[in-house]
Amino acid sequence: GHARAVYALSVTPDLDRLVTAGDREGINVWTMSDGSLERTMTTDGMRWVRRTVVTPDGRYLVAGGADEYAVQDSTTGSGETDVYEARLRLWDLADGALLQTRVLMETDTTTIPLASTYSDVTALALSPTGDYVVVGSSDGVVSTWRIADLELVHSVAAHTQPVTSISVSADGRYVVSGSHDKTVRLWDVNPPFAKPTAVEETALPAALALDQNTPNPFNPRTTIRFTVPRSAPVSLAIYD
């Protein structure tokens, strides 16, 4: 399990694995069937992981949180100031490899005392196809990042206080964000995120049918086509 607080949970689309993350301990991937730990992915300086999402194909994990590091600061008694900096990371779930890391709001460490020492990822949501991730952060910004290379596509100063929640509509046209500033904002995505490809349903035949094999007479290979009125195990016997 975890020795510290757990902040984020995600289940893979095939329901095979559970991803858990939290304070200082890395990201754990568990097998759902027996609860065993499959692997732990180290978070390379990430102080905590606040949010995680798994892409619809189950291939990638996006994790958002904050890195912690110390900066020399003569205005403090210890001579150092702890900085918490919002970061976004992309992982390959197949082998646990860290693919990309991005800083959402870089801290200016050239000015002492520091103007700001805290930023964090506070909300994540995927586009319907999983090609983009929409990120909410503690500075009230809502940003969109492309999953393929984790590059920033768009950002907007959406709220005056930290973003607490984000949702993307099923058609990819709208993003909704909520915040500590007591507002909920609806954003029109232009152009909209791509819609998931529709899966066409094929109607089942009304009756059992067995077609003539082709080619006929028998060659080294032949094809026998048949249809059945419902999904069921089928046994086909051939006699000489």
Side-chain angles (χ1 to χ4, degrees):
H2 289 262
R4 294 177 179 268
V6 176
Y7 297 140
L9 300 172
S10 293
V11 177
T12 56
D14 58 10
L15 306 181
D16 284 346
R17 290 178 288 179
L18 168 68
V19 180
T20 63
D23 190 5
R24 293 182 184 267
E25 295 184 299
I27 299 173
N28 288 337
V29 181
W30 308 84
T31 302
M32 293 278 282
S33 59
D34 59 10
S36 61
L37 179 63
E38 181 178 315
R39 70 165 56 93
T40 297
M41 302 184 296
T42 58
T43 46
D44 296 329
M46 196 172 250
R47 174 62 173 79
W48 52 65
V49 176
R50 291 289 192 193
R51 299 289 185 269
T52 58
V53 288
V54 177
T55 54
D57 59 7
R59 182 176 179 184
Y60 298 116
L61 172 78
V62 183
D67 278 24
E68 178 185 20
Y69 59 92
V71 173
Q72 293 298 316
D73 186 350
S74 59
T75 64
T76 67
S78 64
E80 290 186 343
T81 295
D82 289 331
V83 174
Y84 302 91
E85 196 170 68
R87 304 215 178 192
L88 199 62
R89 284 178 167 87
L90 178 67
W91 304 82
D92 189 326
L93 276 177
D95 57 10
L98 176 61
L99 303 177
Q100 300 285 354
T101 300
R102 294 289 182 263
V103 179
L104 268 70
M105 189 173 76
E106 194 163 2
T107 303
D108 181 5
T109 59
T110 62
T111 303
I112 300 297
L114 299 176
S116 174
T117 60
Y118 178 83
S119 63
D120 198 2
V121 172
T122 52
L124 293 178
L126 287 171
S127 65
T129 57
D131 295 327
Y132 299 90
V133 60
V134 184
V135 182
S137 48
S138 58
D139 57 356
V141 170
V142 173
S143 54
T144 302
W145 302 73
R146 189 169 47 239
I147 293 290
D149 51 11
L150 212 61
E151 287 297 325
L152 179 64
V153 176
H154 183 263
S155 68
V156 59
H159 296 275
T160 60
Q161 293 186 35
V163 178
T164 55
S165 55
I166 286 179
S167 184
V168 180
S169 63
D171 61 2
R173 181 176 176 182
Y174 300 107
V175 171
V176 185
S177 60
S179 168
H180 276 300
D181 64 9
K182 302 177 184 178
T183 64
V184 174
R185 299 184 185 274
L186 177 66
W187 307 92
D188 191 340
V189 181
N190 188 20
F193 297 125
K195 299 178 182 179
T197 302
V199 178
E200 295 185 4
E201 295 186 2
T202 303
L204 291 173
L208 175 66
L210 179 63
D211 296 340
Q212 175 65 52
N213 65 291
T214 57
N216 186 40
F218 280 99
N219 287 331
R221 296 181 60 183
T222 191
T223 300
I224 303 174
R225 300 185 184 278
F226 63 89
T227 57
V228 292
R230 62 184 177 86
S231 178
V234 174
S235 176
L236 182 64
I238 300 174
Y239 298 93
D240 187 349

